[in-house]
């Protein structure tokens, strides 16, 4: 008998965390950070939450891909005594140090800022949930595996990673224990992704955890998305303003560099400056440069041109690593495209650029990724006329464009096609990583078309598997 408890990304899209208790072992699948919670309201401090289990009781941690909403709390496990292995793909192993060091730094900065206010209010200061030192300890525990390699990670427990096509190194998890097989989709890629392969098809499982971020809709067609993208960029040139693109440092940023390069080669890019204003995005882009063998073969010209560096593909690209370089961008009045993190505008340099540009009519903001409920990005998408950024109220005059088609997630039809490939009798299905409305739509379609009942576990719910 085994149990699974859904500690995160249950009827929501962030904070992925599932505890699997087999007859002899306790396995933690993902340990993600929650995003979109109002940190000011969180009395425990930013990013901090009590772990619902003792980290020392866990035998192994298994991660699907590097995004923080799937991995961002593993340093906290280590801080609280976890000393076992942390499994991931070899490429995730290259991305994780970049992302977690950045995360520790941002948490420290956030805590400093909040503590100044708390001090003035006579409240005791917060501690950051984890520090750079915890991240260093965590990195010593990381074990990279190749796609398709099957490994015995504990007596009677086997693990294999398959390509999920979502970001570089992202994986679907196959896990064997107690005579059964569990498959966790991780985040499934959009098959229109310009760089990565399509998600691997899996046929056998007894238990399936499937993401459902876009369970209620399909993305716009690729051609339509590119057309919308170009129209927005053109409008910004005509209006004499800058373009701001909040983007996840891993995945979306590199997709954008690809598309901008493609437009440049076709002579259709009118902006003469593209800035990647993200030290983390820059480091991650370098990991992409070193792993071009994992790219798909859809565009031979890209393969031929992009052999070592992104600038070969997009010559107007500049990387602004230093803070002074980033601040200098505030003086550029028009004709620039600025890509910066974080993807949901909850942190990072994009907040500064939004603060300096949102109140101008001629600014164009391109939202190219999913915006979780409660985030600044979501407020912009939902048409807020005023927002608070870095403690200041800013009026929103900029034009906000939402381009759904760039998503790194499978759309509804793609989720259905991926699920349908499982052999009958179909596995017991749990929908995770989706907001309730979107999960319900997918649940209905699965029942109607495939006669397949899907469960939608609540946070904290335990099921026998
Ligand atoms: Zn992801």
């Amino acid at each position: 008998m085994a149990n699974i408890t859904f500690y995160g990304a249950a009827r929501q899209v962030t904070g992925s965390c599932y505890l699997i208790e087999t007859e002899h072992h306790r396995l933690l699948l993902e340990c993600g950070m929650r995003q979109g919670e109002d940190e000011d309201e969180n009395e425990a401090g930013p990013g901090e939450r009590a772990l619902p289990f003792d980290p020392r009781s866990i035998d192994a941690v298994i991660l699907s891909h590097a995004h923080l909403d799937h991995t961002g709390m593993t340093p906290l496990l280590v801080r609280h005594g976890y000393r076992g292995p942390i499994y991931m793909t070899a490429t995730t192993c290259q991305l994780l140090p970049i992302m977690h060091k950045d995360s520790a730094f941002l948490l420290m900065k956030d805590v400093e800022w909040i503590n100044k206010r708390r001090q003035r209010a006579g409240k005791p200061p917060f501690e950051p949930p984890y520090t750079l030192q915890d991240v260093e300890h965590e990195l010593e525990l990381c074990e990279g595996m190749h796609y398709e390699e099957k490994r015995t990670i504990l007596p009677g427990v086997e693990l294999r990673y398959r390509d999920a096509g979502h970001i570089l190194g992202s994986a679907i998890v196959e896990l064997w224990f107690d005579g059964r097989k569990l498959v966790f989709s991780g985040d499934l890629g959009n098959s229109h992704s310009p760089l990565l392969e399509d998600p691997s098809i899996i046929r056998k499982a007894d238990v399936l955890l499937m993401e459902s971020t876009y369970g209620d809709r399909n993305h716009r067609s690729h051609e339509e998305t590119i057309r919308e993208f170009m129209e927005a960029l053109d409008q910004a040139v005509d209006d004499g303003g800058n373009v701001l693109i909040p983007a996840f440092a891993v995945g979306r940023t590199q997709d954008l560099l690809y598309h901008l390069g493609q437009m440049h080669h076709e002579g259709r890019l009118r902006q003469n400056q593209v800035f990647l204003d993200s030290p983390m995005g820059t480091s991650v882009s370098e990991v992409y440069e070193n792993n071009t063998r994992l790219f798909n073969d859809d565009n031979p010209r890209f393969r031929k041109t992009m052999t070592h560096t992104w600038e070969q593909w997009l010559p107007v690209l500049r990387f602004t690593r230093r803070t002074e370089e980033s601040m200098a961008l505030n003086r550029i009045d028009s004709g620039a495209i600025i890509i910066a993190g974080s993807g949901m505008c909850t942190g990072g340099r994009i907040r500064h650029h939004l603060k300096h540009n949102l109140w101008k009519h001629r600014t164009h903001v391109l939202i190219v990724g999913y915006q979780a409920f409660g985030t600044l990005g979501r407020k912009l998408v939902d048409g807020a006329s005023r927002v608070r950024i870095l403690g200041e109220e800013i009026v929103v005059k900029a034009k906000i464009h939402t381009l759904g088609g760039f998503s790194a997630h499978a759309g509804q039809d793609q989720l259905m096609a991926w699920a349908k490939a499982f052999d009958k009798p179909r596995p017991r299905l749990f929908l995770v990583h989706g907001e309730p409305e979107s999960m319900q739509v997918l649940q209905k379609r699965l029942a109607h078309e495939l006669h397949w009942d899907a469960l939608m576990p609540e946070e904290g719910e335990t099921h026998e598997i």
Side-chain angles (χ1 to χ4, degrees), residues 244-285:
L244 305 183
I245 313 182
F248 277 125
V250 194
R252 191 63 36 79
T253 290
Q254 292 75 30
D255 287 355
L256 289 170
L257 298 184
Y258 169 84
H259 289 303
L260 290 168
Q262 181 70 10
M263 289 177 193
H264 168 83
H265 289 289
E266 290 166 357
R268 295 191 291 178
L269 184 66
R270 288 165 64 199
Q271 276 86 353
N272 50 17
Q273 305 184 87
V274 176
F275 296 98
L276 179 53
D277 187 30
S278 160
M280 179 164 66
T282 302
S283 301
V284 168
S285 298

Side-chain angles (χ1 to χ4, degrees), residues 263-317:
M263 289 177 193
H264 168 83
H265 289 289
E266 290 166 357
R268 295 191 291 178
L269 184 66
R270 288 165 64 199
Q271 276 86 353
N272 50 17
Q273 305 184 87
V274 176
F275 296 98
L276 179 53
D277 187 30
S278 160
M280 179 164 66
T282 302
S283 301
V284 168
S285 298
E286 285 167 4
V287 176
Y288 270 70
E289 286 168 355
N290 297 332
N291 287 282
T292 51
R293 66 187 155 62
L294 295 174
F295 292 176
N296 66 37
D297 273 324
D298 293 355
N299 184 346
R301 182 175 186 173
F302 173 65
R303 278 241 119 152
K304 227 172 121 207
T305 316
M306 163 79 191
T307 49
H308 292 295
T309 67
W310 285 103
E311 292 100 319
Q312 290 172 312
W313 177 244
L314 179 59
V316 294
L317 176 64

Side-chain angles (χ1 to χ4, degrees), residues 65 67 69-70 166 187 409:
H65 66 288
H67 276 153
D69 62 317
H70 293 256
H166 166 65
D187 284 357
H409 283 270

